[in-house]
C-alpha cells in the first residue's frame, strides 16, 4: 500500500483529535482527543518507517506511547484531584492563568 | 623633652579626653565626664607651658621647631606630613586657647549640670579644643585646613547642642554653611600656594614665596584675598558675619568658648601666621584692614540697639575682632595678638557673667526684662563690670593697653591708615557706651521680680521655653535641662570667673608701652622676617594714644551713665524721634534681609522650580512616565493573549505549529 493512505488516515485522526481538544469542555474527553492526536502521529511515523524500510520510526512510536502513558497518568491524576476538591469538571472554568 | 614633644602632648590631652567622655558616657557617674574633660584641657595647658619653656630655651634666631609623626601622602616633589610647627606664635595661641578653655570647661560643669546631655556636651567641647589646637599647631596648610574644618564642625555641633530647638539647629546650619564658604577660600588659597611654590609647609612656603612672587603680583594678591575669605568666615567679619549673632542659640559656655575666646580668633591667627604672604601683597592686607575697620564700626553700631544680652556681646565680639584684623593687617602683629589675648579674657568673662544672669532669669535673655541684679548677684555684678571695663578700654585695664596699641600702630603707618585709626577711635567710643548700656540695664535700676526672688535666696523658676520664639519646651535631652545656675551659688562658676576677672584687669601688664612690652619681645622671633619689624611707634606716641583712648572710654561710659541711669528714658525718646535709624540698626543694617533676598530666596525659588518642573514634570512625568507607559502598553497586549481559556491556548498552539509548518514547506519548495 502506498504511504499516502496512511498519511491521509493519520491526518484525519489528527484533525478529529484537534477538533475535539478545541471544542470539548470535559477534561476527560480532552485527554482522549489528545490521545487521538498522539496516535495519529504514531501512525504517520510507522507509515514512514515502513516506506523507508528502517526501524527508527517504530522506535519513535514506542517512545511516544510511553510518553502518552505518562501524560495520561498525570492528566487523570489532576482530574481525580479536581473531583476530590469538588471543582467543576470543565476546562473553561479553570482560567486561573488569565493575565 | 623637646618643644615638639610638648606640642604633641598639647594635642594628645584633649583627644584622650574626647575619646574617654564620648565612649564612656554610659558608665561615667554624675559629673565625672565634666571633670575628666576639664582635666584633659588642664593637661593641655600645662603641656603648653612646657612648650613655652622649651621654645624660650632655643637660641633666638631659630626659635621654632618642626616635627612630623606620619607622612600621609608621599609624592615625587613634596610630601604631605602630619606635622606640627612650634614657635612663639603657636605657643602663645596654645596658651590662650587651652587656658581660657580650661576655665570655660570648669564653668560648664555647673552651667550644664542639669542638662540631659552632660557627657555629650563635654565630648563636643573637648573635640572643639582639640580641633582648635590642631589648627594653631599645624605645620603645613593641609593640617591647617583639617583643623579649620574640624573647628567648623565642632562649632556646628555645639551651636545645635539643644538639637530639638529649631532655632538652634537652624543657627548651627547657618554657621556651618558660612564657615564652609571660608573653607573653600582657604582650600583654593592653599592650592594656589602649592601651584606656585611647590610647597605646603609653612617654612618652605615662606622661604620660596619672595622668590616666586613679585611684590603685589596678581596671584599672590588673589591667594591672600582667598585666605582673607577663610579668615573672615571664621572670624565673622563683613560680609560673612551673619552666623555669629545667631550662634548665640548655643549654650552660653559655647558662646564664651567658641564665639568669643577661641574659634573666631582663628582668622586673626591665620593672617598673622601667613604674614610673609600678606607683606608680599599689600593690596590684600589693605583690604583686610579696611574690612576690619568697617566691621568694627558696623558691629558697634548694631550693638547699640540690640536687646538680647548675648547678641549685644556677640556684636561686641565682632567689633573687637575687627580691631584684631585691623592690627594684623597693618603689620601690627604683636598688637593684634595682644588684643586677641585680652579679648579672650574679658569676653569669656562677659559671656560667663551673662550666663549667670540668664540663669537667674530662668533662661530669658531679653535685656528689656532685666534690671536691678546688683544686690542679688554681687559676684556676677563685680566680674561683669570688670569685663565691661576692659571691653570699654577703661584706663589701666587690659583692653585699654591692647586696643590702643592696635590703633597707635595703625596711625604710625601714616597716610590713609590714619582714617582707619580714627574710625577705630569712633568704634571705641561706641564700645564704651554699649558695654555700660548692658551693665546699667542689667544690674542697675529697680530689681525685677526675678532679682527680688534671688535676693530672697532662691532662683526664679520659669516655664521652659525657647527664649527666641517663646515656644514651650520640655527639659528632656535635646532641650536645656530643668535647672539654671547662677555663679553666686556654684563654686565651679566662681572658680572660672575669678581668674578671668583678674586677668581682664591686669593682663595689660605684658604690653605697657615703653615699660614692659613682654609680649612683643616674646613674639618677635616669629615676625622677625617682617619688613615692618622695626617700624613701631615711639613710647611717647603710644602714651598720647593711650591718653586719647582713656578719655574716649571714660567719656563714653559717662554718656552711658547719663542715658541709662541719670535720665532713663532718653533712649526711648531718641528711638521715637529717629525710628528709621533705630530700625536700621535694630535689623543689623538689613544684612540678613539682603542675604535672604539675594541668596536664600533665589536658591529656594530655583529649588522649587527644580522640584516642580524638572523633577516632577520632566523626570517623573516624561522620562519615568514615558518608559512605564511603553512597558505598560506592551504588557497590556501580552496580557490580552493570556485569556486563561485552555481551548484558546490550544488553538494558538495549533495555529502556531501550522504556521511554522507552512513556513518550512514554503521555504523548502
Amino acid at each position: 500500500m502506498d504511504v499516502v493512505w496512511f498519511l491521509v488516515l493519520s491526518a484525519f485522526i489528527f484533525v478529529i483529535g484537534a477538533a475535539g481538544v478545541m471544542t470539548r469542555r470535559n477534561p476527560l474527553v480532552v485527554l482522549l482527543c489528545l490521545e487521538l492526536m498522539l496516535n495519529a502521529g504514531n501512525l504517520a511515523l510507522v507509515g514512514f518507517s515502513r516506506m523507508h524500510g528502517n526501524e527508527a520510526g517504530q522506535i519513535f512510536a514506542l517512545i511516544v506511547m510511553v510518553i502518552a502513558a505518562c501524560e495520561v497518568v498525570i492528566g487523570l491524576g489532576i482530574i481525580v484531584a479536581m473531583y476530590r476538591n469538588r471543582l467543576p469538571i470543565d476546562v473553561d472554568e479553570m482560567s486561573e492563568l488569565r493575565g | 623633652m623637646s618643644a615638639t614633644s610638648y606640642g604633641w602632648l598639647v594635642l594628645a590631652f584633649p583627644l584622650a579626653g574626647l575619646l574617654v567622655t564620648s565612649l564612656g558616657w554610659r558608665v561615667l557617674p554624675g559629673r565625672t565626664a565634666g571633670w575628666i574633660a576639664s582635666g584633659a584641657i588642664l593637661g593641655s595647658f600645662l603641656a603648653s607651658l612646657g612648650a613655652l619653656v622649651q621654645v624660650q630655651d632655643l637660641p633666638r634666631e631659630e626659635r621654632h621647631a618642626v616635627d612630623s609623626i606620619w607622612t600621609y601622602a608621599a609624592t615625587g616633589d613634596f610630601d604631605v606630613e602630619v606635622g606640627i610647627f612650634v614657635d612663639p606664635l603657636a605657643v602663645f595661641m596654645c596658651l590662650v586657647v587651652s587656658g581660657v578653655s580650661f576655665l570655660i570647661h570648669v564653668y560648664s560643669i555647673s552651667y550644664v549640670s542639669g542638662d540631659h546631655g552632660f557627657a555629650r556636651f563635654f565630648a563636643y567641647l573637648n573635640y572643639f579644643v582639640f580641633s582648635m589646637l590642631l589648627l594653631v599647631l599645624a605645620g603645613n596648610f593641609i593640617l591647617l585646613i583639617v583643623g579649620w574644618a574640624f573647628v567648623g564642625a565642632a562649632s556646628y555641633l555645639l551651636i545645635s547642642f539643644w538639637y530639638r530647638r529649631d532655632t538652634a539647629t537652624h543657627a548651627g546650619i547657618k554657621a556651618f554653611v558660612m564657615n564652609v564658604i571660608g573653607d573653600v577660600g582657604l582650600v583654593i588659597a592653599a592650592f594656589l600656594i602649592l601651584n606656585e611654590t611647590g610647597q605646603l609647609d609653612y617654612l618652605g612656603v615662606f622661604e620660596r614665596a619672595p622668590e616666586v612672587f613679585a611684590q603685589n603680583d596678581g596671584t599672590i594678591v588673589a591667594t591672600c584675598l582667598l585666605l582673607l575669605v577663610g579668615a573672615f568666615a571664621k572670624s565673622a567679619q563683613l560680609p560673612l558675619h551673619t552666623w555669629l549673632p545667631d550662634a548665640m542659640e548655643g549654650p552660653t559656655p559655647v558662646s564664651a568658648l567658641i564665639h568669643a575666646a577661641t574659634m573666631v580668633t582663628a582668622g586673626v591667627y591665620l593672617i598673622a601666621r601667613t604674614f610673609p604672604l600678606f607683606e608680599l601683597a599689600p593690596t590684600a592686607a589693605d583690604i583686610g584692614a579696611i574690612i576690619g575697620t568697617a566691621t568694627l564700626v558696623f558691629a558697634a553700631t548694631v550693638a547699640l540697639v540690640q536687646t538680647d544680652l548675648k547678641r549685644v556681646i556677640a556684636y561686641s565680639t565682632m567689633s573687637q575682632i575687627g580691631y584684631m584684623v585691623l592690627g594684623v593687617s597693618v603689620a601690627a602683629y604683636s598688637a593684634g595678638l595682644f588684643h586677641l589675648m585680652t579679648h579672650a579674657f574679658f569676653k569669656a568673662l562677659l559671656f560667663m557673667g551673662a550666663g549667670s544672669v540668664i540663669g537667674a532669669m530662668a533662661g530669658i535673655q531679653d535685656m528689656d526684662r532685666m534690671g536691678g541684679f546688683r544686690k542679688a548677684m554681687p559676684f556676677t555684678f563685680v566680674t561683669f563690670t570688670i569685663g565691661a571695663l576692659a571691653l570699654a578700654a577703661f584706663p589701666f585695664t587690659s583692653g585699654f593697653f591692647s586696643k590702643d596699641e592696635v590703633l597707635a600702630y595703625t596711625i604710625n603707618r601714616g597716610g590713609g591708615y590714619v582714617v582707619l585709626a580714627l574710625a577705630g577711635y569712633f568704634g571705641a567710643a561706641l564700645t564704651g557706651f554699649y558695654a555700660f548700656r548692658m551693665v546699667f540695664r542689667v544690674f542697675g535700676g529697680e530689681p525685677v521680680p526675678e532679682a527680688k526672688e534671688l535676693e530672697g535666696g532662691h532662683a526664679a523658676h520659669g516655664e521652659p521655653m525657647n527664649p527666641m520664639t517663646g515656644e514651650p519646651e520640655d527639659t528632656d535631652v535635646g532641650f536645656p535641662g530643668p535647672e539654671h545656675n547662677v555663679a553666686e551659688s556654684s563654686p565651679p562658676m566662681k572658680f572660672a570667673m575669678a581668674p578671668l576677672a583678674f586677668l581682664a584687669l591686669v593682663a595689660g601688664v605684658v604690653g605697657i608701652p615703653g615699660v614692659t612690652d613682654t609680649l612683643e619681645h616674646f613674639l618677635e622671633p616669629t615676625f622677625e622676617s617682617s619688613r615692618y619689624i622695626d617700624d613701631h611707634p615711639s613710647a611717647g606716641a603710644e602714651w598720647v594714644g593711650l591718653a586719647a583712648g582713656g578719655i574716649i572710654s571714660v567719656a563714653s561710659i559717662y554718656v552711658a551713665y547719663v542715658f541709662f541711669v541719670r535720665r532713663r528714658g532718653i533712649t526711648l525718646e531718641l528711638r521715637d524721634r529717629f525710628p528709621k535709624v533705630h530700625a536700621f540698626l535694630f535689623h543689623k543694617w538689613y544684612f540678613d534681609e539682603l542675604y535672604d533676598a539675594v541668596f536664600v530666596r533665589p536658591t529656594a525659588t530655583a529649588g522649587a522650580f527644580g522640584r516642580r518642573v524638572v523633577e516632577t514634570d520632566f523626570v517623573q512625568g516624561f522620562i519615568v512616565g514615558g518608559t512605564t507607559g511603553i512597558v505598560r502598553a506592551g504588557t497590556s497586549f501580552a496580557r490580552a493573549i493570556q485569556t486563561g481559556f485552555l481551548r484558546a491556548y490550544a488553538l494558538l498552539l495549533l495555529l502556531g505549529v501550522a504556521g511554522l509548518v507552512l513556513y518550512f514547506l514554503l521555504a523548502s519548495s
Side-chain angles (χ1 to χ4, degrees):
Chain A
M1 266 198 338
D2 193 27
V3 72
V4 173
W5 293 106
F6 295 100
L7 290 185
V8 168
L9 181 60
S10 161
F12 264 116
I13 298 172
F14 186 87
V15 170
I16 290 167
V21 169
M22 238 42 92
T23 52
R24 303 308 294 262
R25 288 163 54 180
N26 188 331
L28 214 54
V29 181
V30 172
L31 270 182
L32 285 177
C33 292
L34 277 176
E35 237 20 64
L36 276 183
M37 289 165 76
L38 286 167
N39 284 316
N42 281 350
L43 187 55
L45 285 170
V46 172
F48 279 121
S49 165
R50 198 180 127 93
M51 185 186 94
H52 287 298
N54 72 5
E55 66 283 9
Q58 303 185 19
I59 294 171
F60 263 124
L62 282 174
I63 293 172
V64 170
M65 281 177 194
V66 172
I67 302 283
C70 299
E71 178 241 305
V72 166
V73 167
I74 293 170
L76 286 177
I78 291 173
I79 292 168
V80 171
M82 284 163 64
Y83 262 117
R84 290 255 176 91
N85 288 307
R86 297 175 186 283
L87 292 172
I89 308 300
D90 183 344
V91 290
D92 282 2
E93 298 286 317
M94 299 190 300
S95 58
E96 258 104 78
L97 280 178
R98 187 149 63 96
Chain B
M1 291 210 300
S2 68
T4 45
S5 312
Y6 279 112
W8 290 117
L9 266 186
V10 168
L11 289 176
F13 275 113
L15 187 60
L18 160 68
L19 292 177
V20 170
T21 46
S22 55
L23 297 179
W25 64 280
R26 259 183 213 285
V27 288
L28 292 173
R31 296 187 185 180
T32 330
W35 291 111
I36 290 174
S38 308
I41 306 301
L42 181 62
S44 197
F45 179 67
L46 295 177
S48 305
L49 284 177
L52 170 70
V53 172
Q54 290 299 326
V55 163
Q56 290 300 86
D57 271 356
L58 293 169
R60 198 177 156 71
E61 299 74 49
E62 43 194 74
R63 202 167 274 176
H64 53 75
V66 185
D67 190 32
S68 162
I69 43 168
W70 183 36
T71 304
Y72 167 72
T75 68
D77 294 332
F78 96 110
D79 298 340
V80 180
E81 291 186 333
V82 179
I84 56 171
F85 180 67
V86 182
D87 71 340
L89 174 60
V91 170
F92 165 80
M93 289 299 292
C94 285
L95 282 171
V96 172
V97 169
S98 58
V100 175
S101 300
F102 167 64
L103 293 174
I104 291 168
H105 273 68
V106 174
Y107 177 90
S108 309
I109 293 174
S110 275
Y111 194 83
V112 296
S113 62
D115 209 286
H116 291 274
F118 188 76
R120 182 167 60 94
F121 186 73
F122 281 95
Y124 287 171
L125 281 190
N126 267 4
Y127 171 51
F128 170 76
V129 176
F130 167 73
S131 316
M132 188 68 202
L133 291 170
L134 185 68
L135 192 162
V136 298
L137 279 171
N140 55 52
F141 280 93
I142 300 279
L143 210 55
L144 173 79
I145 289 167
V146 171
W148 201 264
F150 275 12
V151 164
S155 135
Y156 166 76
L157 290 172
L158 281 166
I159 295 168
S160 312
F161 176 69
W162 289 320
Y163 56 82
R164 282 166 65 205
R165 203 178 246 185
D166 280 346
T167 49
T169 49
H170 288 158
I173 291 167
K174 191 170 178 180
F176 193 72
V177 170
M178 283 297 199
N179 269 300
V180 166
I181 296 175
D183 294 354
V184 172
L186 189 58
V187 169
I188 300 175
F191 166 73
L192 285 177
I193 290 169
L194 175 64
N195 200 31
E196 297 294 320
T197 66
Q199 304 267 352
L200 273 181
D201 54 318
Y202 294 142
L203 287 176
V205 169
F206 299 157
E207 203 177 311
R208 290 273 294 143
E211 303 162 18
V212 179
F213 299 115
Q215 183 79 358
N216 244 347
D217 188 65
T219 316
I220 187 72
V221 172
T223 307
C224 288
L225 287 177
L226 287 165
L227 288 176
L228 281 181
V229 169
F232 288 169
K234 208 50 94 211
S235 290
Q237 300 293 292
L238 290 175
L240 299 172
H241 66 282
T242 52
W243 64 272
L244 184 66
D246 287 5
M248 296 302 121
E249 289 285 339
T252 306
V254 173
S255 310
L257 177 63
I258 296 186
H259 311 117
T262 54
M263 167 176 157
V264 288
T265 58
V268 181
Y269 164 80
L270 179 70
I271 300 175
R273 172 57 83 202
T274 55
F275 78 94
L277 304 180
F278 278 94
E279 290 191 356
L280 286 172
T283 315
D286 289 347
I287 290 172
I290 290 167
I291 290 183
T293 315
T295 309
L296 81 87
V297 174
F298 155 75
T301 57
V302 175
L304 292 177
V305 296
Q306 296 299 312
T307 54
D308 184 306
L309 179 59
K310 280 176 74 180
R311 272 172 205 254
V312 175
I313 309 180
Y315 276 104
S316 91
T317 304
M318 277 169 60
S319 175
Q320 299 305 307
I321 294 168
Y323 282 102
M324 298 172 212
V325 170
L326 171 64
V328 291
S329 297
V330 299
Y333 307 113
S334 61
L337 293 166
F338 182 27
H339 197 53
L340 187 158
M341 179 185 78
T342 58
H343 173 259
F345 297 149
F346 65 68
K347 192 50 62 68
L349 178 64
L350 280 174
F351 267 116
M352 288 179 177
S356 181
V357 171
I358 292 165
M361 295 292 294
I364 294 170
Q365 304 184 1
D366 191 356
M367 278 203 289
D368 287 343
R369 300 199 32 198
M370 298 176 185
F373 276 106
R374 192 173 54 252
K375 267 200 202 122
M377 311 176 79
F379 179 80
T380 308
F381 171 58
V382 170
T383 49
F384 193 91
T385 309
I386 290 171
L389 283 172
L391 171 62
F394 192 78
F396 306 111
T397 58
S398 59
F400 172 65
F401 291 107
S402 57
K403 183 187 286 179
D404 282 305
E405 190 155 312
V406 169
L407 296 176
Y409 270 85
T410 312
I411 289 181
N412 192 46
R413 290 286 296 273
Y417 296 104
V418 177
V419 180
L420 298 183
L422 290 178
Y425 278 114
F426 174 64
L430 299 178
T431 309
F433 181 78
Y434 69 68
F436 276 81
R437 172 172 174 261
M438 289 191 288
V439 174
F440 293 136
R441 288 190 66 171
V442 172
F443 295 99
E446 287 299 304
V448 291
E450 284 89 351
K452 283 193 184 127
E453 212 176 323
L454 196 62
E455 280 175 46
H458 51 88
H461 221 85
E463 285 298 307
M465 59 147 190
N466 185 333
M468 290 296 125
T469 58
E471 284 167 20
E473 294 178 346
D474 58 52
T475 57
D476 206 350
V477 60
F479 279 136
E483 292 155 36
H484 293 283
N485 293 292
V486 298
E488 273 64 24
S489 59
S490 311
M493 285 164 97
K494 268 187 171 170
F495 171 80
M497 289 164 77
L500 281 177
F502 176 74
L503 287 170
L505 269 185
V506 306
V509 297
V510 298
I512 301 174
V515 183
T516 54
D517 289 329
T518 321
L519 188 67
E520 203 180 328
H521 290 307
F522 171 66
L523 290 172
E524 225 164 51
T526 299
F527 301 112
E528 219 160 29
S529 62
S530 164
R531 95 171 55 120
Y532 302 102
I533 189 72
D534 294 321
D535 192 15
H536 46 74
S538 67
E542 284 202 45
W543 278 102
V544 173
L546 283 177
I551 291 167
I552 289 172
S553 163
V554 174
S556 63
I557 294 172
Y558 178 73
V559 173
Y561 174 76
V562 171
F563 270 48
F564 296 104
V565 180
R566 188 100 66 78
R567 293 182 56 194
R568 278 188 96 101
I570 191 169
T571 47
L572 294 178
E573 282 171 31
L574 279 176
R575 187 186 70 188
D576 295 339
R577 195 174 306 166
F578 304 107
K580 282 203 180 131
V581 177
H582 179 265
F584 183 64
L585 295 180
F586 190 76
H587 290 100
K588 311 143 199 168
W589 292 30
Y590 295 105
F591 264 103
D592 276 333
E593 285 77 359
L594 178 72
Y595 288 175
D596 195 51
V598 176
F599 298 113
V600 180
R601 291 248 192 90
T603 314
T605 313
F609 174 81
R611 159 122 181 63
R612 210 178 45 246
V613 178
V614 178
E615 179 67 22
T616 311
D617 290 354
F618 184 69
V619 176
Q620 281 289 342
F622 185 68
I623 297 183
V624 178
T627 315
T628 52
I630 291 167
V631 174
R632 215 179 277 270
T635 51
S636 69
F637 172 71
R639 282 177 60 200
I641 300 174
Q642 304 293 324
T643 53
F645 284 111
L646 188 63
R647 297 185 295 154
Y649 293 130
L651 178 66
L652 281 176
L653 198 65
L654 205 68
L655 287 178
V657 171
L660 272 178
V661 168
L662 203 62
Y663 170 76
F664 283 121
L665 277 179
L666 291 177
S668 63
S669 62

